[in-house]
Amino acid sequence: MDSALRSQLAAAGVTAECAATIGLVRDVLARVGDKWTVLVITTLGDGPLRFTALHERIAGVSQRMLSQTLRSLTRDGLITRTAYAEVPPRVEYELTPLGRSLSDTVTHVVRWVQAHQIEIVHNREVFDGAGSAAP
């Protein structure tokens, strides 16, 4: 969390502990809200995969972005990276129990979108057709 926000929260009477929680919530929401994170988590929901298999299954992701996403998810404890001492080397990525619980949550969001996609598309068309501008 940046110092300006920390100062703002302190001025509003928010304790340092609460401010730290707010900072963590923002970080986690940014991670979970990232499209590559969602796609990696949902793709690994079926079981462990190697980097190449993940890259092939996630359309549009560059190798660099996939590497960064996997590194961040490993750092947060959402996936594990297992390297096997073989020739050639083999590395697999798999959801941890924490990652699986996130996968369950993300799956609910995806199902919600699927159940309401016609309504959402219609509302967007009505909004765009009316020339409405966001406030």
Side-chain angles (χ1 to χ4, degrees):
M1 175 184 324
D2 66 6
S3 61
L5 178 58
R6 187 175 288 114
S7 298
Q8 204 175 17
L9 292 171
V14 176
T15 66
E17 182 179 305
C18 188
T21 300
I22 290 169
L24 182 58
V25 167
R26 285 177 172 220
D27 288 347
V28 170
L29 286 175
R31 169 86 52 244
V32 174
D34 176 72
K35 70 178 176 180
W36 301 123
T37 294
V38 170
L39 292 171
V40 168
I41 293 292
T42 56
T43 303
L44 288 176
D46 294 332
L49 290 171
R50 295 175 71 171
F51 182 91
T52 304
L54 267 172
H55 188 251
E56 289 170 354
R57 292 184 188 187
I58 302 174
V61 68
S62 67
Q63 289 185 354
R64 180 177 180 269
M65 185 54 66
L66 181 57
S67 292
Q68 288 177 348
T69 302
L70 291 169
R71 192 174 301 114
S72 295
L73 293 172
T74 301
R75 179 178 181 248
D76 288 344
L78 298 172
I79 64 171
T80 57
R81 178 186 185 277
T82 305
Y84 296 93
E86 299 175 352
V87 177
R90 178 171 58 106
V91 176
E92 286 185 340
Y93 297 91
E94 184 174 15
L95 293 174
T96 63
L98 182 62
R100 185 138 322 270
S101 69
L102 176 59
S103 176
D104 294 342
T105 301
V106 169
T107 299
H108 288 297
V109 172
V110 170
R111 287 186 184 141
W112 180 87
V113 171
Q114 290 170 332
H116 298 283
Q117 66 186 1
I118 293 171
E119 184 180 357
I120 293 167
V121 169
H122 172 74
N123 290 335
R124 287 179 175 182
E125 290 170 351
V126 168
F127 183 90
D128 294 345
S132 301

